[in-house]
Amino acid sequence: MTIPASFIQELIARADVVEIVGRYVPLKKAGANFMGLCPFHGEKSPSFSVSPTKQFYHCFGCGVHGNAIGFLMEHGGMGFVEAVHDLAGQYGLQVPEDDASPEERARAAGQRQKQATLSDVLEKAGEAYRKQLRQSPGAIDYLKGRGVSSEVAKQFGIGYAPPGWRTLAGVFPDYDDPLLAESGLVIVGEEDADKRYDRFRDRVMFPIRNVKGECIGFGGRVLGDEKPKYLNSPETPVFSKGRELYGLFESRAALRDKGYALVTEGYMDVVALAQLGFPNAVATLGTACTPEHVQKLFRFTDSVVFSFDGDAAGRRAARKALDSALPFASDVRSVKFLFLPAEHDPDSFIREHGAEAFSRFVNEATPLSRFMIEAAREGCDLGSAEGRAHMAANAKPLWSALPEGALKRQLLGEIAELVQLGMQDINALWMPAAPPPARNAPQPFPEAPRYEDDGTPVGYPSRDRKERGNWRDKREGGKGSWGDRSARGNFAAGSAARPRLRPPGRPDVAARLLLSNMHEWEPLSHELHSLLCDLPGEHGQLFTWLDGQLHEHGVQPWAALREGLRGQPFEALAERLMTGPDGGPIEDNEGEQAADAAKELRNVLDFMLDDLLKARQSEAIAAVGSDPLALERYKALETRRLELRHRLKPSISG
């Protein structure tokens, strides 16, 4: 379902970003704006500014910025659609859905109501469990024996489910209410629907909360050694263990303060670590780590450390976590694997060796790159050609899952060296050349031009006004120019004369590449997301819509995106960008084409980012007289621009 852009604009205009941010960040008035400590990176002096006039926040330290919706997404870990619904609810607005039928709207409204109702039921049960804990010496002794203080127990909302079969009947007078079964609190007999009993009995209860702090399920641990030791809520309309992480709500601030997330294997690990000075721990819910888990964590931090036991089971769990983490291991993110001694879990290790020793252990954890190589070479005899070939076969799917970037290129070189193949050889082995096109087949869309500093495409040698005018003359059809059919390629045999083409602008190129390679959107930094979504006019609306589609539906091919675009104000723009010169649609890129497209996208975005930094420099210079920090901002921006220009130097030189 698509949310109209007009409603989003109205919502942003009505929302007070100072009020929204101020609920999570202490703000103080500073001139026309409000200032506070940035919630997205650790700092001691405030550099986080919130503007009530622009309805915008910006950190001069880490560069993060956005509006009220963006803040809820970044700080609360929400998807775009979820953030819009949350913000609209705060202001009493009903979110319209353009392309939904009345039946679909009613179904969606019913689902949201059901989720809210189930959360209310679970919250009521959680309160009852907390009251029971205060009256249960055995459960209190168990928690004290594990070193859990009353403060930490209160922070995590820990409770206790008594041993009775129908204890919740005293909490919910209508024990036959279907909501009790649907929420997972009550089990209904398969053969006898009248046979109902509490799912959780004689267990310490750990509420599982979503990123908004709503109770969506429970985990229960026995006080002794009975089996199963841990019991989770079943899958419900509000709870899916493959997407949720225990302790994420409680650890959000600590993730930014500590700079990394520590992923553990159980509720007690999370609670004990919070007690011992590591409140940045979270846990999977009795299941292997999934890509959804990793993606959710990277909304809050750029560094994740997985902690596992050093035994065979721990190595198997780590291997599954590796598979889930590889697609998100971009050059600006860190993933590590911590293997504890067999006799320890994080709790016992810290108690025996101390918090400082555990911190060192975390810092020395195995990087993803090394663990990936170890996983690929496991069981392979690198002293034989067969063993090296086996390792190459193991490494290919792991390496292919990595996003494009420097890390992927470095690992290719390392793998090539271990299997005693040259870089060109392993490239040829893993990415064979595409077969030649069939005769009379349409040729691919010409590569979009790269840009000089003055905005003209690379390859037009002079930048002075006169020669740029000559270039424009050539562009309009002169020989050897972009407008010349021979330079653009013979797209289809016997085709008629083409209309004059102008080189697409950078936003056009970025939109085309992302519409045909949607998976490239997620690895982009928050700064680049904001840069694209904040573009004026239809381009900004298109990128905002694309971001919402990813959060709501995941990665989609162009054919699926095309259907979702129907009726959107930027439909014609997207259709034009995704239509090739032969009039047919541009296909989704795969293999080597996808790698080239990703490289082209990074190049275009670097130019756009340089323009943005240049504009911020101008703002900083204009503020030098009134803002004592303006000059420092200018210098920091200049450093970033120098790094960008160094990266762009090959493109600029053509």
Side-chain angles (χ1 to χ4, degrees):
M1 297 180 181
T2 304
I3 301 173
S6 58
F7 175 80
I8 294 170
Q9 293 166 354
E10 177 190 350
L11 180 60
I12 292 173
R14 185 173 299 196
D16 183 355
V17 71
V18 176
E19 178 191 352
I20 300 299
V21 173
R23 296 174 188 174
Y24 308 95
V25 180
L27 298 173
K28 291 185 178 179
K29 194 82 165 64
N33 298 331
F34 290 79
M35 298 292 293
L37 295 176
C38 179
F40 302 107
H41 82 286
E43 62 177 8
K44 295 182 180 179
S45 57
S47 61
F48 187 75
S49 173
V50 184
S51 170
T53 55
K54 297 180 181 178
Q55 286 297 299
F56 205 73
Y57 66 88
H58 177 78
C59 177
F60 296 107
C62 67
V64 65
H65 61 282
N67 54 34
I69 295 174
F71 184 83
L72 290 176
M73 292 173 66
E74 289 297 315
H75 189 269
M78 302 180 191
F80 175 77
V81 174
E82 184 182 7
V84 170
H85 278 280
D86 185 271
L87 190 61
Q90 295 181 40
Y91 289 91
L93 298 177
Q94 179 68 36
V95 180
E97 289 149 346
D98 266 353
D99 55 350
S101 66
E103 293 78 11
E104 289 173 327
R105 293 180 188 177
R107 186 162 52 249
Q111 184 178 9
R112 287 193 292 271
Q113 181 60 45
K114 173 61 69 67
Q115 290 172 341
T117 303
L118 290 177
S119 291
D120 289 342
V121 169
L122 292 162
E123 289 283 3
K124 188 174 181 180
E127 181 59 36
Y129 291 143
R130 287 188 285 275
K131 288 180 180 178
Q132 287 288 344
L133 177 63
R134 294 194 287 269
Q135 305 165 15
S136 306
I140 292 173
D141 289 343
Y142 170 81
L143 292 172
K144 286 183 176 179
R146 296 296 300 265
V148 179
S149 68
S150 58
E151 291 79 9
V152 170
K154 183 178 180 181
Q155 176 190 351
F156 285 89
I158 297 174
Y160 174 67
W165 286 87
R166 294 168 66 96
T167 303
L168 288 177
V171 180
F172 299 95
D174 184 7
Y175 192 71
D176 292 334
D177 189 339
L179 289 173
L180 295 181
E182 197 168 354
S183 65
L185 292 171
V186 167
I187 295 175
V188 179
E190 293 183 5
E191 298 180 0
D192 183 1
D194 293 331
K195 185 179 180 181
R196 294 170 174 262
Y197 55 94
D198 294 358
R199 180 179 299 274
F200 300 101
R201 305 178 304 279
D202 195 19
R203 290 177 181 269
V204 174
M205 299 297 290
F206 300 86
I208 301 166
R209 295 161 170 158
N210 61 20
V211 292
K212 293 189 289 185
E214 299 167 337
C215 184
I216 56 175
F218 290 97
R221 193 205 188 280
V222 295
L223 301 182
D225 294 324
E226 297 86 5
K227 303 295 181 183
K229 183 181 292 186
Y230 286 100
L231 180 65
N232 288 325
S233 290
E235 299 281 312
T236 71
V238 295
F239 175 64
S240 172
K241 62 184 179 181
R243 291 198 298 265
E244 303 298 339
L245 290 157
Y246 177 72
L248 182 58
F249 171 74
E250 292 82 2
S251 68
R252 291 175 307 160
L255 295 181
R256 288 183 283 271
D257 293 341
K258 290 283 188 178
Y260 69 96
L262 181 62
V263 185
T264 63
E265 297 186 80
Y267 310 106
M268 281 307 304
D269 288 333
V270 173
V271 174
L273 284 167
Q275 180 83 43
L276 296 169
F278 293 87
N280 54 320
V282 299
T284 52
L285 298 163
T287 185
C289 182
T290 66
E292 288 81 2
H293 289 144
V294 179
Q295 184 178 23
K296 183 167 286 191
L297 283 170
F298 278 130
R299 291 182 183 176
F300 295 89
T301 179
D302 287 330
S303 181
V304 175
V305 179
F306 292 100
S307 174
F308 298 100
D309 295 338
D311 57 13
R315 301 290 294 194
R316 287 194 299 271
R319 181 66 174 76
K320 292 178 181 177
L322 172 68
D323 291 337
S324 296
L326 283 170
F328 304 96
S330 66
D331 294 345
V332 296
R333 290 171 174 166
S334 168
V335 179
K336 292 183 178 181
F337 296 84
L338 174 67
F339 296 100
L340 293 168
E343 68 275 14
H344 282 300
D345 58 23
D347 180 12
S348 64
F349 185 95
I350 295 173
R351 293 186 188 280
E352 181 172 332
H353 300 285
E356 188 175 340
F358 186 73
S359 291
R360 287 198 303 270
F361 211 53
V362 169
N363 291 334
E364 295 165 3
T366 304
L368 175 140
S369 56
R370 195 195 316 160
F371 187 53
M372 188 191 107
I373 295 293
E374 290 174 1
R377 67 182 296 174
E378 185 175 2
C380 301
D381 175 16
L382 299 189
S384 68
E386 291 83 357
R388 292 191 294 273
H390 189 185
M391 179 185 169
N394 290 344
K396 180 181 178 181
L398 300 175
W399 180 85
S400 299
L402 286 165
E404 294 300 325
L407 176 63
K408 188 171 186 176
R409 287 177 175 268
Q410 291 178 76
L411 282 171
L412 183 64
E414 189 170 341
I415 294 166
E417 184 177 349
L418 285 169
V419 301
Q420 297 183 20
L421 287 173
M423 289 278 283
Q424 290 183 341
D425 293 330
I426 201 165
N427 259 320
L429 180 66
W430 285 0
M431 293 178 286
R439 291 187 64 185
N440 299 329
Q443 298 300 306
F445 189 68
E447 179 182 359
R450 293 171 291 140
Y451 292 91
E452 302 285 5
D453 277 348
D454 65 355
T456 59
V458 169
Y460 296 95
S462 177
R463 302 176 192 170
D464 65 38
R465 181 175 299 175
K466 178 180 178 182
E467 296 202 16
R468 283 202 302 272
N470 292 338
W471 167 74
R472 280 193 293 270
D473 293 339
K474 291 181 179 180
R475 186 188 64 189
E476 296 297 300
K479 186 176 180 180
S481 71
W482 179 267
D484 178 32
R485 185 185 303 172
S486 63
R488 286 183 279 125
N490 183 16
F491 298 116
S495 59
R498 306 290 185 222
R500 295 171 180 172
L501 300 175
R502 62 178 178 82
R506 291 171 187 163
D508 289 340
V509 176
R512 173 175 61 82
L513 292 169
L514 285 165
L515 288 169
S516 56
N517 303 270
M518 191 182 179
H519 62 275
E520 292 292 341
W521 177 265
E522 181 67 20
L524 298 182
S525 67
H526 176 83
E527 183 177 44
L528 289 175
H529 282 167
S530 297
L531 183 157
L532 295 171
C533 292
D534 294 340
L535 288 172
E538 293 180 345
H539 286 91
Q541 295 175 17
L542 174 59
F543 288 118
T544 299
W545 174 85
L546 187 67
D547 184 54
Q549 289 293 299
L550 181 68
H551 286 294
E552 187 171 0
H553 303 294
V555 174
Q556 301 173 70
W558 163 242
L561 291 173
R562 178 66 191 85
E563 292 305 310
L565 279 163
R566 297 195 187 281
Q568 295 290 342
F570 38 85
E571 179 185 5
L573 168 66
E575 186 74 33
R576 173 174 63 81
L577 297 177
M578 292 299 290
T579 301
D582 60 346
I586 294 176
E587 299 293 334
D588 294 319
N589 292 318
E590 297 179 358
E592 192 170 358
Q593 274 190 332
D596 291 340
K599 182 179 178 182
E600 182 184 2
L601 177 65
R602 289 195 301 274
N603 184 269
V604 170
L605 293 179
D606 279 346
F607 275 109
M608 295 177 70
L609 181 57
D610 186 60
D611 289 340
L612 176 65
L613 296 179
K614 186 176 180 180
R616 289 181 183 170
Q617 280 186 310
S618 299
E619 293 174 0
I621 289 296
V624 166
S626 57
D627 186 351
L629 298 177
L631 192 56
E632 290 299 318
R633 292 202 303 275
Y634 179 89
K635 292 177 180 177
L637 290 165
E638 182 61 19
T639 300
R640 291 190 65 195
R641 289 196 70 205
L642 286 172
E643 293 172 356
L644 263 181
R645 287 199 289 271
H646 178 74
R647 193 158 72 227
L648 289 169
K649 191 173 182 181
S651 298
I652 293 174
S653 61

